[in-house]
Each structure stands twice: as structure tokens, then as C-alpha cells.
Amino acid sequence: ELGTSPQAVYTQIRLDHARHLLLRTDRSISSIALECGFCDGSHLSRVFRLQYLRTPQEFRSQHGESLSLHRGPRHRNSQEPASGSGNQFGCK
């Protein structure tokens, strides 16, 4: 019904969450990648660039200024997620 594979839909959901975190937090790309189910920051960057034609860093810098006035302490989160030895995506 969606005209695409379940994997593509799930990847888009993960990318949407990553975009949200890039705009609303000051967390590192690596931290965001792990929270969104990517192996590491490089994996997120590759998939993000394929979808949006720019890296997460470029996206954040292009959109960060317009949202910086709306950011407050309640939107910032510098906590890094606990690292693990792998996840359901085959990342080690």
C-alpha cells in the first residue's frame, strides 16, 4: 500500500528522527546515529547524504541558524547513549 519496502519505510522513519535531533539538540552526530539505529556517524552520514544530498553536518549548519532563536535549555541534550556491542541492524 505504501509503494515501497518495509525496510525503506523504516529507514525513512530513522532518518526523520535523526533530522529532528540534528535540529533540536546539540548532540554529536555519532550519538544521534546510535540512537536512530545506525552503526556509527559514518553510516548515518552515508544514508543521510543519499536521501537529502547533504551530510548531517551540512544540514545542521544550514538549518541551525534559523532555529537557534527557538532553542532553549529544555531542547538541548548532551547525554550520550550507552554504547553496546551491536544492534538489530547488523552493526558491530
Side-chain angles (χ1 to χ4, degrees):
E1 289 187 29
L2 298 175
T4 189
S5 71
Q7 181 179 359
V9 171
Y10 188 55
T11 298
Q12 188 60 55
I13 291 168
R14 292 164 47 214
L15 286 170
D16 288 344
H17 186 54
R19 286 180 68 208
H20 172 78
L21 293 174
L22 287 165
L23 293 174
R24 302 290 184 213
T25 71
D26 292 332
R27 292 174 57 187
S28 70
I29 303 300
S30 296
S31 172
I32 291 170
L34 293 175
E35 180 172 325
C36 296
F38 295 94
C39 297
D40 53 30
S42 294
H43 184 205
L44 171 60
S45 291
R46 283 190 306 275
V47 176
F48 197 95
R49 181 182 289 210
L50 284 172
Q51 181 68 30
Y52 301 115
L53 305 177
R54 69 191 98 182
T55 66
Q57 295 88 342
E58 292 167 343
F59 177 82
R60 180 180 261 172
S61 66
Q62 289 171 353
H63 294 87
E65 283 188 24
S66 64
L67 294 174
S68 64
L69 297 176
H70 302 291
R71 285 188 196 170
R74 69 175 190 259
H75 291 112
R76 294 175 187 245
N77 182 357
S78 61
Q79 295 177 358
E80 299 288 327
S83 62
S85 60
N87 63 30
Q88 71 251 20
F89 306 108
C91 302
K92 294 180 183 178

